[in-house]
Amino acid sequence: MISRALFPLLQCPTCRSRALYVSDDGVHCAGCGTCYPFRDGYVDLMPRGARYDYVSKYVTDEAELAEELDYRELAPPLLAAGVRDRALRRLLRFQPGDVVLDNGCGTAKHAVWNADRVRLMVGSDPATLFADRAVAEVALARADSRSLPFADGSFDKAFAIDILEHFPLAVIDQYLAETARVLRPGGRMLAFSNTREASPIQPLIDLSRRLGRLFVRAGLYDFSREARRKSDHVKALERWDDVLAAFERAGLRPVRVVFWNSLFTTFVEHVLMKLGEAALGRVKRGASAARGPAQEAAVPDRGDLLPAASQPPGSAAGVAREIRARRRIRRQLRPGSPVYLALLAVTLLMELDLWLFGWMRCGSYFIVVEKAD
Ligand SMILES: [Zn+2]
């Protein structure tokens, strides 16, 4: 949404002037004369005339990704997203008076799930694949994290979930420096990302992967959608020391670290849930005509549980089946419903990884850092 509470925080992302005024059609800079227009539910605060070498896949392929990412309708915070969200809440400890930035918010799901816990939740992203609920409930800005449209010290807290692994090193440095700039002294940031470090219990974790591969070979499911989501992972911070050094360069001091050795998580993601999706994603023959129009019709009616030979390998059918399964599940996800409670139990099983193995250094990490006073 376009929130009036956002305006006092703004600074021109092009010339850094704070002399801004608001009219019916947008925010205007008196310094450089740029108009930042109001769009459908967000303010377009991208810097003008900036040339960047790196542009996110989510910006260049936005239209193409829109359908595949299935981003508009949000599920409740369950499974891996639920583990992230619960850790975010526990580690960053939102207070009712907080002004918080979800920097690189994507759909802004974490902003939506936590908006009512704080005074102002702001989501910013250069791509505008915002969920419908985010457009309705969160102050949204289209912005570049290398030149944020916010004044120094505007935020009590910030978070970056699944962001840093996408960026080359120079962009990470700019991203962290800008995040530090807009945090108040003593303000905190949480990042969830991953390095290339293996887990000490990797051989155990790989048992689930191997089991998963057997099912893939049997044509039961595939991982093409996951692979595509991760296709632009750079992991420029290769080792844990690189992570600590990057935050230190930005003047951000670590206060808390939890690693995610994904023993239960990998079993859930590679075996349990994929089997569930394969079963739920089957096309119910003759049922699709009776179903509501837009939702299911958007997904091609293929990808039945066919024998391996007739299943297109690594295919659009797999993606379609997965989206169909997720939509079917989502319709039954009212909090308190049996499906919801079952998935919550699975979420807590995945979270057990953090409680049991959070102290063991590995690739996936949550880190809380603080800006010096
Ligand atoms: Zn300006």
Side-chain angles (χ1 to χ4, degrees):
M1 65 182 174
I2 296 170
S3 166
R4 303 192 67 82
L6 184 65
F7 300 150
L9 309 182
L10 295 180
Q11 118 178 348
C12 176
T14 304
C15 77
R16 308 220 147 188
S17 166
R18 294 214 60 200
L20 302 173
Y21 59 95
V22 179
S23 74
D24 286 345
D25 57 342
V27 177
H28 303 261
C29 175
C32 65
T34 306
C35 171
Y36 300 99
F38 296 144
R39 306 284 190 204
D40 198 11
Y42 64 92
V43 191
D44 187 346
L45 286 153
M46 287 292 274
R48 299 299 193 267
R51 288 263 164 75
Y52 294 119
D53 290 338
Y54 170 83
V55 181
S56 156
K57 166 186 89 165
Y58 293 94
V59 175
T60 53
D61 304 353
E62 185 168 333
E64 191 186 329
L65 284 167
E67 170 60 19
E68 184 170 333
L69 288 172
D70 190 22
Y71 67 96
R72 289 191 56 183
E73 198 187 344
L74 278 191
L78 292 166
L79 304 173
V83 176
R84 284 169 177 75
D85 203 63
R86 290 167 58 87
L88 166 68
R89 223 175 295 159
R90 189 167 65 243
L91 296 171
L92 208 49
R93 295 198 194 137
F94 294 124
Q95 302 297 317
D98 281 347
V99 178
V100 181
L101 175 63
D102 181 353
N103 189 7
C105 63
T107 63
K109 58 177 182 280
H110 294 287
V112 167
W113 291 331
N114 293 285
D116 61 358
R117 293 186 163 80
V118 300
R119 183 155 65 87
L120 177 64
M121 180 67 81
V122 178
S124 101
D125 204 287
T128 56
L129 301 167
F130 304 128
D132 291 347
R133 274 190 64 197
V135 170
E137 298 168 32
V138 172
L140 292 173
R142 179 170 179 240
D144 194 294
S145 52
R146 287 160 287 194
S147 185
L148 288 173
F150 310 113
D152 297 3
S154 295
F155 294 93
D156 300 292
K157 280 158 192 165
F159 57 90
I161 296 185
D162 298 314
I163 301 294
L164 298 179
E165 67 271 23
H166 294 274
F167 295 155
L169 195 58
V171 178
I172 291 174
D173 279 344
Q174 289 169 313
Y175 177 97
L176 293 179
E178 271 295 88
T179 310
R181 179 182 69 76
V182 302
L183 276 178
R184 67 166 168 78
R188 288 188 172 191
M189 171 192 182
L190 175 140
F192 172 74
S193 183
N194 41 77
T195 65
R196 296 183 186 280
E197 294 203 17
S199 166
I201 54 169
Q202 199 63 45
L204 280 177
I205 293 171
D206 286 342
L207 289 177
S208 295
R209 287 180 191 276
R210 257 184 256 167
L211 190 56
R213 271 201 293 274
L214 287 181
F215 287 122
V216 171
R217 230 172 286 153
L220 269 179
Y221 53 69
D222 66 70
F223 287 95
S224 59
R225 195 154 168 254
E226 276 89 344
R228 188 168 162 92
R229 254 198 307 265
K230 294 177 177 173
S231 63
D232 73 333
H233 283 195
V234 184
K235 298 194 186 180
L237 303 177
E238 292 188 28
R239 311 276 308 165
W240 179 240
D241 294 340
D242 301 333
V243 176
L244 295 177
F247 282 103
E248 196 183 314
R249 283 196 295 279
L252 296 165
R253 180 181 65 88
V255 290
R256 187 83 197 275
V257 177
V258 176
F259 294 103
W260 191 350
N261 292 274
S262 56
L263 181 65
F264 297 111
T265 300
T266 303
F267 175 72
V268 167
E269 290 187 332
H270 283 244
V271 181
L272 198 60
M273 291 312 297
K274 299 300 287 188
L275 284 176
E277 274 172 11
L280 282 162
R282 275 180 302 180
V283 177
K284 292 172 190 160
R285 301 229 175 267
S288 54
R291 204 171 289 283
Q295 278 212 325
E296 202 134 4
V299 182
D301 247 7
R302 286 180 294 150
D304 205 340
L305 272 179
L306 301 171
S310 55
Q311 183 84 0
S315 60
V319 170
R321 184 176 56 213
E322 199 180 308
I323 292 178
R324 199 161 45 229
R326 284 176 189 226
R327 285 182 181 166
R328 275 187 193 152
I329 294 170
R330 217 182 283 154
R331 280 188 223 124
Q332 305 174 44
L333 274 185
R334 290 172 314 282
S337 72
V339 178
Y340 177 90
L341 292 175
L343 289 180
L344 182 61
V346 174
T347 307
L348 297 178
L349 174 67
M350 295 166 85
E351 191 179 325
L352 207 52
D353 281 330
L354 302 188
W355 294 109
L356 292 178
F357 313 121
W359 52 277
M360 256 194 290
R361 179 168 140 181
C362 70
S364 292
Y365 60 87
F366 296 89
I367 187 170
V368 180
V369 293
E370 189 173 276
K371 180 176 174 178
D373 274 315

